[in-house]
Structures are given as C-alpha cells and as structure tokens.
Amino acid sequence: MEIELAKLNDVSFCLRLQAGMGDTACPTNVHNLAGIQKKKLENKHVGPILNEYGLLIEDEKTKRETIREMCEKLYRKCDINMSSLQSFLGSIILNGVDLISEGGVITPDEVREAISQLRKGKSPGPDGLPNEFYLSCSDTLVDLLTSAFNDGIKVGKMHASFYHGVISLIYKKGPFPNLDNWRHVTIMNVDYKILAKIVANRLNDDLEKLVEKEQTCAIRGRLMWDNLGLLRDITSGNLKDEFFLISLDQKKAFDYISREYLWEVLRAYGFKQELINIIKLLYVESTVQINVNGVLTDYFAIKRGVKQGCPLSAARYILAINPLLSKLKNDKRLSGINASGGERVVVLAYADDITIIIKNGK
C-alpha cells in the first residue's frame, strides 16, 4: 500500500508513506496533517450551485460559465451620487493627518523591505513565480522593480500581467449551492503584492491616528480580543440601565466597495494625491479568472471592491468603513453606555463586523 499525501495538494513537505506502514505505524501528526489538508480541499471543491434563477447547475462546464457570469455582475462598477457622498463626508469629523512625506516615488529601500516581508510556502500568482524566487534574487530584482514601479507611476499604468489574478473560491458557511456562501480570495502575481506591501508599510504608522480606536482590525497594537473583552465586561457587568446590542455584518464587504467612494474618502483624510495615484495604479485594469475545481474560467474585468488576499486590502477597507464608525460614534442621539472604566462606548468594530450599543430611552 502507498499513500501519497502529495495528492492532497498544498502540503509543504509532500509526505509519502511506503508499503508496510499500517495505521498503527503511522504517526499521529501525519494523520492530523492529512485530515487538515483534506478539509482544505473539501472547502475548495465546488459542487452543484444555484444560478441567479434558482436552478441547480451540476455540469462542470456550465457551472464554470454560471459562476463567471454571476461574479462578473457582482464586480461591475457601482455608480455613486458624488454630491451626496461629499455632503456625507463633510458632515463628519475625520482624524486627518499630514500623510506620507515620501510622495509619489518608490525607493529601492522600500522595495527591499517589501521583498523581505514575503512569506515562503505561499501559492504563486498566474505567472508562476513564487515568493522564494523574489527572496533568492532580491539583490538583482530591487533596482529592476523600483524602475518598473516608478515608470508605471509616471504613465499611470503597469504592464498587463501585473493586473491578472486568479480567484479561489473558499467555502464559509451556509448552504453549499449558494455562491454567496463562498469567499473570493484573489491570488495575484508577486510584483503586485510587493507594490501593495510598500503602500501598506507607508500607512502603518498613520492608520492608528486615522481610524477610530473602536476599530481593531489591521491596526498595529490593536487586537480583536480588546473589543471582545470589552463586550464581555459590558454584558456581564452590573449596569443599571437597560441596553441593546445591534450587530451589523456587511454582505460581501470587501467585494462591494465602490472605488470612486474610496478615492473620495482618502482625499477627505488628507491623503496626498501622489499616494492616491499609487493606490489607483493597483486597480487600473483588474482582470481575473476563477479557479473552479482546477479549471480556470475566461478572464473578466473587476470594476469594484478590494481584493481579498492583497496585502493592502484590510487597510483600504477599514479606511472605507471608518466614516460610518465616526458618524455613529459622534451621533448625539446615541448615548451608548459607560464601561467599567467610565469610558463611553457606542460602537465597536472588527473590519465589517460592527456592534452598536443602544441604550433604553425610557
């Protein structure tokens, strides 16, 4: 008997158990690894799905075409009312700072730092070049990438393959046939990730100044457990006033963001136009294929949303949702409650998971 765990895919050290090794001879950690990898594959396998008319699609080719069509509609450009948006942004208080003195030029040191932060063992993008290639050839690639990035900034566009990605569908929860219950993780080429990481590094020191302290996602020094601990103290404490917890969870939060909205929000924060242009450069011509059970669909354009899997996506999302948190926090009609330390608490958030605390007005 021969068991090839390499077939389970994505196993970092491709174990092979040779003949003569029964179950009793197989180490427990090997069984655990096999089970974990099998679960990962099950969460990526797309069975029959429901199309937009509620019909169950089982044929693989028709399934790919259906998924592509539904996703193409999902990622179409979202038109917004610019005057209403500007009025909304003008009505709230944002913690703007004098952001990013580096301007619109990428430096070799920034490229070198971003490459050093790449993690080994990750899936490569559509061009097949893994993180290990960039890590091993860093000294050779730093100047080439710096020049390519700065040339792209000048002309407002990178080379075509820079914008190609592959969406991997990951099951979350709920009925399997409903495509809404599958997360879309976009695998991009590493040169894209390096530029995105450079921008993320520039923002790291400023995010905690810009984003309300009630948001604990993607900000250095803040943890999800901070808000969970605070909620535990609130719900288990001896508070005299009655209150209610309202939980908001945005449907496909990362996928639905209007990019035009995001650019306006960044301007409202005081982002320099040079930095906004670099962020825009990451989205000039986004095109993706979808991996459906190992077969790729045709390419289609992405006109909205931020890519799950991009090093900058979490930062972009919390900047986009922050005006809502600020609006809620400063709404005089929401009195919130006082926590054990006397701090007034109205809203708590981790990415798009928002909890609003409503006090009984009686």
Side-chain angles (χ1 to χ4, degrees):
M1 182 186 78
E2 180 178 77
I3 304 174
E4 291 187 355
L5 295 183
K7 290 181 179 179
L8 291 175
N9 200 7
D10 200 27
V11 181
S12 60
F13 45 88
C14 296
L15 294 170
R16 178 173 292 184
L17 305 181
Q18 298 296 337
M21 290 182 63
D23 287 346
T24 57
C26 187
T28 302
N29 63 330
V30 173
H31 286 304
N32 291 342
L33 177 63
I36 291 170
Q37 298 305 320
K38 181 179 179 182
K39 184 65 175 178
K40 285 184 177 180
L41 289 180
E42 289 174 350
N43 287 345
K44 290 182 179 180
H45 178 77
V46 182
I49 63 161
L50 294 171
N51 66 13
E52 59 183 322
Y53 304 107
L55 299 177
L56 195 64
I57 307 299
E58 301 185 56
D59 175 72
E60 287 295 316
K61 182 179 179 181
T62 307
K63 188 193 302 179
R64 289 193 300 273
E65 293 172 351
T66 301
I67 291 174
R68 181 191 178 279
E69 291 172 1
M70 293 176 70
C71 288
E72 187 173 17
K73 290 181 179 179
L74 169 67
Y75 290 112
R76 284 177 181 172
K77 182 178 179 180
C78 175
D79 294 325
I80 60 174
N81 187 315
M82 195 61 68
S83 61
S84 296
L85 171 58
Q86 292 173 347
S87 176
F88 168 71
L89 293 176
S91 69
I92 58 180
I93 301 173
L94 294 176
N95 301 319
V97 296
D98 186 16
L99 283 163
I100 315 306
S101 60
E102 293 91 339
V105 177
I106 304 298
T107 68
D109 286 343
E110 288 182 301
V111 176
R112 187 175 292 105
E113 181 184 9
I115 292 176
S116 71
Q117 294 169 334
L118 296 173
R119 296 168 60 188
K120 295 181 180 180
K122 295 296 183 179
S123 299
D127 64 8
L129 297 176
N131 290 349
E132 288 82 353
F133 168 76
Y134 287 83
L135 289 165
S136 299
C137 304
S138 176
D139 292 340
T140 303
L141 294 174
V142 164
D143 289 339
L144 291 173
L145 288 170
T146 303
S147 177
F149 291 152
N150 285 321
D151 287 345
I153 291 170
K154 288 179 182 178
V155 301
K157 184 179 178 182
M158 296 294 293
H159 55 89
S161 66
F162 182 85
Y163 297 105
H164 294 339
V166 174
I167 290 179
S168 180
L169 299 174
I170 310 294
Y171 171 72
K172 297 184 294 183
K173 60 182 179 179
F176 276 90
N178 188 339
L179 200 58
D180 287 340
N181 296 326
W182 293 75
R183 180 178 290 109
H184 301 179
V185 177
T186 306
I187 301 172
M188 300 297 294
N189 290 325
V190 180
D191 55 348
Y192 175 97
K193 292 182 180 179
I194 291 171
L195 181 57
K197 188 62 180 174
I198 289 170
V199 179
N201 287 340
R202 289 187 176 189
L203 291 179
N204 272 341
D205 292 334
D206 293 301
L207 279 180
E208 62 179 308
K209 303 172 188 174
L210 291 169
V211 177
E212 301 291 347
K213 61 182 177 60
E214 289 80 4
Q215 173 67 266
T216 57
C217 174
I219 299 178
R220 189 167 50 199
R222 301 184 193 177
L223 300 172
M224 175 176 63
W225 311 112
D226 297 338
N227 283 350
L228 290 177
L230 183 56
L231 276 177
R232 181 197 60 197
D233 292 343
I234 290 172
T235 55
S236 62
N238 296 319
L239 296 175
K240 296 180 180 180
D241 297 321
E242 292 183 352
F243 63 91
F244 303 90
L245 300 180
I246 300 177
S247 180
L248 306 180
D249 185 7
Q250 184 182 349
K251 178 181 177 181
K252 291 199 172 296
F254 282 59
D255 302 326
Y256 279 166
I257 290 179
S258 162
R259 293 174 184 171
E260 286 66 30
Y261 164 80
L262 180 58
W263 312 144
E264 288 300 313
V265 169
L266 296 183
R267 292 188 186 97
Y269 284 120
F271 275 58
K272 296 181 184 300
Q273 189 60 45
E274 292 89 345
L275 180 60
I276 296 176
N277 289 341
I278 295 177
I279 299 175
K280 282 185 174 183
L281 187 64
L282 295 166
Y283 288 93
V284 171
E285 290 185 357
S286 298
T287 56
V288 298
Q289 295 170 286
I290 305 175
N291 182 351
V292 182
N293 299 333
V295 181
L296 298 178
T297 67
D298 292 334
Y299 279 106
F300 64 93
I302 298 288
K303 299 292 187 181
R304 70 191 295 186
V306 294
K307 302 181 182 74
Q308 295 190 59
C310 168
L312 190 57
S313 287
R316 281 193 296 257
Y317 181 80
I318 63 173
L319 286 169
I321 198 71
N322 192 59
L324 174 61
L325 300 184
S326 180
K327 186 74 171 179
L328 292 169
K329 179 180 177 180
N330 294 292
D331 192 322
K332 301 301 182 183
R333 296 169 297 178
L334 301 177
S335 59
I337 63 171
N338 293 324
S340 55
E343 179 184 9
R344 174 177 171 267
V345 181
V346 174
V347 61
L348 300 171
Y350 185 83
D352 63 310
D353 294 323
I354 299 173
T355 301
I356 306 172
I357 302 172
I358 306 294
K359 188 176 179 181
N360 192 334
K362 293 183 180 181

